[in-house]
Amino acid sequence: DSLAAALAVLGEHAAEGWQPLAGGTDIMVSVNAGHETGSRWIDLSRFRGELAAIELENGMIRIGGLATMTALRRSPLCRGTGG
């Protein structure tokens, strides 16, 4: 039940076509168009907080892959007013 465990499962099954999923809108468009068939997904949405984090780490801003443009615009770190 951790992000590390989920990523380990993805790594173990990469050859089988497993993909990370944290939303799914793009995948549903592809499925409906007939472009996505036979893939398996592992849901990472429960880790959204961790994956969307915007943090100061070792003097650098770390932006998670699920951070939205709105969150970036609102972030004091990205606006130069935090940290």
Side-chain angles (χ1 to χ4, degrees), residues 45-60:
S45 62
R46 74 178 93 175
F47 310 111
R48 184 167 305 278
E50 187 175 348
L51 293 172
I54 303 169
E55 305 171 320
L56 190 61
E57 187 175 285
N58 297 321
M60 296 174 32

Side-chain angles (χ1 to χ4, degrees), residues 1-81:
D1 285 336
S2 70
L3 178 57
L7 294 176
V9 169
L10 276 173
E12 292 168 12
H13 297 282
E16 300 166 33
W18 284 48
Q19 300 287 323
L21 172 70
T25 301
D26 293 341
I27 290 173
M28 291 310 301
V29 170
S30 292
V31 167
N32 290 334
H35 300 294
E36 287 282 344
T37 58
S39 294
R40 294 184 180 203
W41 295 282
I42 187 164
D43 184 12
L44 300 179
S45 62
R46 74 178 93 175
F47 310 111
R48 184 167 305 278
E50 187 175 348
L51 293 172
I54 303 169
E55 305 171 320
L56 190 61
E57 187 175 285
N58 297 321
M60 296 174 32
I61 298 174
R62 188 186 71 75
I63 300 170
L66 294 181
T68 64
M69 292 303 294
T70 299
L72 291 170
R73 282 192 301 269
R74 291 179 179 167
S75 169
L77 288 173
C78 293
R79 292 190 350 240
T81 59

